[in-house]
Amino acid sequence: MATNRKMDFLADEIALADFAKAIAHPARIAILKILAQHKSCICGEIVEGLPLAQATVSQHLKELKSIGLIKGSIEGKTSCYCIDWEVFNQFVNQFGVFADLAKNASGQTQSCC
């Protein structure tokens, strides 16, 4: 029987993997672009900017919200969402580790395949 070994990794590795998984869908990238352009947005405006049904957009918003990448509030029938830039920048900084590794590796001769 297979076991889930995810918890054997460092917390920042798990968080970065969860972030990558959350933004791995083109609809979520499009949602983030819309939110970044408008600073904050109601759900209806997000739906209008995408070729998806409202229920589908809501599912994608839920995924982005579950990792803390976006914040949202619901008042009656109005939903307002915005990017949590502090969380976003944390993930960007974690990805920066790869940029640092690439800089250190440039100029080095390495045989891979």
Side-chain angles (χ1 to χ4, degrees):
M1 174 176 264
T3 60
N4 185 347
R5 304 293 302 223
K6 183 176 180 179
M7 300 314 291
D8 291 342
F9 293 92
L10 299 174
D12 63 332
E13 293 168 341
I14 295 169
L16 189 56
D18 289 343
F19 171 74
K21 182 179 176 184
I23 65 167
H25 195 287
R28 296 180 196 146
I29 298 294
I31 288 169
L32 290 172
K33 282 183 177 179
I34 291 168
L35 291 175
Q37 291 168 351
H38 293 93
K39 307 295 184 235
S40 67
C41 216
I42 60 170
C43 189
E45 289 176 6
I46 297 170
V47 172
E48 290 172 12
L50 298 171
L52 302 170
Q54 189 276 327
T56 304
V57 172
S58 292
Q59 279 300 117
H60 287 297
L61 288 166
K62 180 181 173 184
E63 288 295 322
L64 293 169
K65 194 173 178 185
S66 73
I67 64 157
L69 193 52
I70 64 173
K71 297 185 276 188
S73 62
I74 300 172
E75 294 181 26
K77 293 186 176 191
T78 303
S79 299
C80 184
Y81 295 95
C82 63
I83 295 174
D84 186 331
W85 289 107
E86 185 176 323
V87 172
F88 183 86
N89 286 326
Q90 287 173 358
F91 288 124
V92 168
N93 289 336
Q94 288 176 330
F95 268 116
V97 169
F98 293 105
D100 294 341
L101 292 171
K103 286 179 192 174
N104 293 337
S106 70
Q108 295 178 1
T109 310
Q110 187 174 344
S111 177
C112 177
C113 300

